[in-house]
């Protein structure tokens, strides 16, 4: 093997190594970016789960408050009032309160 061939082989190997290092660096950057995005996605999903639990608690509380309101509106004292709430308010399941004319 001549010295020229040997230098050529070393040069080719060096270029190949540099190319591989460049590819590894690019892949490393892409993996780092993917890891950052997945971390953000995980925090979004965690927040969504927290909000889902919060909504469930609020719906349950709302249902209890609606039941309590209906119970209070059925009490006899409301019939004795000059303007009974049962004649003014329309209490429905999930609808906005509307005034009757």
């Amino acid at each position: 093997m001549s010295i020229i061939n040997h230098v050529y082989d070393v040069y080719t190997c060096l270029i190949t190594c540099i190319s591989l290092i460049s590819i590894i660096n690019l892949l490393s950057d892409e993996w780092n970016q993917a890891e950052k995005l997945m971390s953000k996605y995980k925090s979004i999903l965690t927040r969504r789960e927290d909000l889902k639990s919060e909504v469930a608690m609020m719906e349950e509380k709302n249902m209890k408050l609606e039941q309590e309101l209906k119970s209070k509106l059925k009490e006899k004292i409301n019939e004795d009032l000059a303007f009974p709430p049962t004649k003014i308010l329309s209490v429905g399941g999930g609808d906005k309160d509307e005034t009757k004319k």
Side-chain angles (χ1 to χ4, degrees):
M1 183 180 216
S2 73
I3 192 91
I4 294 175
N5 286 340
H6 183 67
V7 170
Y8 177 77
D9 289 344
V10 170
Y11 179 74
T12 304
C13 182
L14 187 60
I15 289 177
T16 303
C17 288
I18 291 172
S19 297
L20 287 174
I21 289 171
S22 297
I23 291 170
I24 289 170
N25 285 339
L26 286 174
L27 290 175
S28 176
D29 290 343
E30 289 177 5
W31 277 110
N32 288 339
Q33 184 66 21
E35 184 178 10
K36 288 177 187 177
L37 291 172
M38 291 304 290
S39 177
K40 286 181 184 179
Y41 184 61
K42 180 184 176 196
S43 66
I44 289 170
L45 289 178
T46 302
R47 177 71 177 135
R48 185 178 178 185
E49 184 63 29
D50 292 344
L51 290 173
K52 187 178 178 183
S53 299
E54 188 177 333
V55 166
M57 288 187 321
M58 292 176 115
E59 285 176 341
E60 183 179 341
K61 185 175 181 180
N62 188 46
M63 187 174 61
K64 288 178 181 178
L65 288 171
E66 283 180 355
Q67 290 172 349
E68 185 178 344
L69 177 61
K70 286 178 184 179
S71 167
K72 297 287 183 185
L73 290 174
K74 289 180 182 178
E75 291 179 359
K76 177 148 177 36
I77 192 168
N78 290 317
E79 295 173 12
D80 298 336
L81 298 173
F83 299 102
T86 54
K87 302 294 183 197
I88 298 171
L89 298 175
S90 171
V91 181
D95 295 329
K96 291 184 179 178
D97 290 340
E98 298 176 4
T99 56
K100 293 184 178 180
K101 293 184 181 181

